[in-house]
Amino acid sequence: MIKGLPNFCGNEENTLFIIGNGFDLAHGIMSKYKHFYCWLIQNGHEELCMQLQKIFPELDNRIDCLWNNFESALEKPDYHFIIQEYIPYPNDRWDEIEWNKNIQIGENRVMEIIDKIPSLIKEWSKDIDINVKPIFQSLSKKSKYLSFNYTLTLENVYNISEKNVCHIHEKTTSKSKIIVGFDSPITINDFPARSIEEERAQEKFERIQNSLVKPKLQQIQKNKPFFSALSNINTVIVIGHSLSWVDLKYFSEVKRSIINNAKWYFSIHDPEDFRRVQLFVKPAKLQPNYIQNYDFFDLS
């Protein structure tokens, strides 16, 4: 392990930085999930917060959770609460048409709540104060940057050209909605129903829930020119990324695009980071594009 950022050794153009939220946090930027939660409360969205915490109970009492914890919570809805809260209790006299109409009403109400998540995160990210001073002296304007952040810290604080930065989940100035969500589609089989009525309702809500699946292949294809331009990269420096499995496909695409024996460096903030990195690059998890040649650098 080395202290501080690795030296380029004159290879700035052959270096790729992968930037996570820890990069912004190191600058004192208030970009944690708890900051988003507080922003929601301060901007009149307290009722939405309550509904989200009931729909996704793993968000409850986890105000200080990481963004990857937030995204993991989104794939574990409480269907029992959803059905009881948003669909009128079925009447024995309901015919098929009336039943489907009430299911649709509930579906629309839940969709309205879930649809607000990306738009509100984007609105909040525009309000984040990134008027900070640079703290990393080794960020080269000639290097490439794959950023998982919505903020323009690289462009505004370090004067990195936007042509060298790929915001894989979009950015505050994107016309497209930002990307937030979990890894793979879920099915109603993951959530046993308590009744036939619940099972019928869950079939409808499954589509809504899966609207929060990250379109990773779509984003990779959209940014294909960026990945295609990485063929000369022999050094990858990962700063402040939580290394969640939901982003594994992006790392595999990087591994596939760069020089085969490229050297990787992962930032370490606390002892738990060692285990997280080693699990992430383990051959069984990344096969066939696993990372063998890697080291750590200490930013604690």
Side-chain angles (χ1 to χ4, degrees), residues 6 9 25 39 83 126 259 272 280:
C9 300
L25 295 177
W39 180 90
I83 291 167
K126 290 179 179 179
I259 293 174
E272 178 63 20
F280 193 76

Side-chain angles (χ1 to χ4, degrees), residues 257-276:
S257 303
I258 65 177
I259 293 174
N260 188 48
N261 62 346
K263 180 77 173 185
W264 289 67
Y265 295 91
F266 293 87
S267 67
I268 297 298
H269 186 262
D270 57 57
E272 178 63 20
D273 289 338
F274 286 102
R275 188 182 71 87
R276 183 159 45 248

Side-chain angles (χ1 to χ4, degrees), residues 24-211:
D24 276 7
L25 295 177
H27 292 77
I29 294 171
M30 300 175 71
S31 55
K32 287 185 176 182
Y33 168 70
K34 71 175 182 180
H35 298 135
F36 171 57
Y37 181 89
C38 290
W39 180 90
L40 287 174
I41 299 296
Q42 292 166 1
N43 286 273
H45 300 291
E46 187 171 1
E47 177 62 27
L48 176 69
C49 290
M50 292 174 58
Q51 293 301 312
L52 285 176
Q53 288 183 332
K54 290 177 180 177
I55 294 173
F56 306 107
E58 287 201 4
L59 287 178
D60 196 22
N61 298 322
R62 299 191 61 148
I63 303 307
D64 202 26
C65 69
L66 299 173
W67 276 108
N68 64 310
N69 298 134
F70 169 76
E71 293 182 325
S72 295
L74 295 180
E75 65 179 324
K76 298 166 186 171
D78 185 344
Y79 277 122
H80 305 310
F81 166 78
I82 291 173
I83 291 167
Q84 291 173 3
E85 179 76 6
Y86 298 107
I87 299 178
Y89 192 78
N91 188 307
D92 291 339
R93 292 171 301 197
W94 282 2
D95 58 21
E96 189 73 14
I97 294 176
E98 194 161 13
W99 170 248
N100 287 331
K101 184 179 84 172
N102 281 284
I103 289 265
Q104 186 66 53
I105 291 172
E107 184 179 3
N108 291 341
R109 291 174 67 191
V110 176
M111 193 68 189
E112 184 179 349
I113 293 171
I114 289 180
D115 268 349
K116 288 180 180 178
I117 296 175
S119 58
L120 285 173
I121 290 178
K122 187 173 186 178
E123 188 178 337
W124 160 70
S125 63
K126 290 179 179 179
D127 280 351
I128 296 175
D129 183 5
I130 59 171
N131 185 25
V132 296
K133 294 181 179 180
I135 62 173
F136 298 119
Q137 304 305 316
S138 300
L139 298 190
S140 169
K141 293 180 175 61
K142 298 179 181 179
S143 299
K144 294 286 194 300
Y145 295 83
L146 177 62
S147 177
F148 286 79
N149 300 339
Y150 311 124
T151 55
L152 301 179
T153 310
L154 290 168
E155 295 89 336
N156 292 2
V157 178
Y158 289 91
N159 295 316
I160 305 297
S161 172
E162 63 178 15
K163 69 180 182 181
N164 287 337
V165 183
C166 171
H167 289 269
I168 195 65
H169 289 154
E170 305 301 339
K171 55 188 177 182
T172 57
T173 55
S174 296
K175 293 182 179 179
S176 305
K177 75 174 184 178
I178 56 97
I179 305 297
V180 60
F182 50 91
D183 188 21
S184 302
I186 62 174
T187 69
I188 57 173
N189 296 328
D190 299 322
F191 305 91
R194 296 176 181 173
S195 65
I196 295 176
E197 288 79 14
E198 277 199 3
E199 185 174 344
R200 293 177 66 184
Q202 284 181 195
E203 291 175 357
K204 299 285 186 180
F205 288 109
E206 180 183 312
R207 179 185 65 83
I208 301 176
Q209 183 61 24
N210 286 331
S211 69

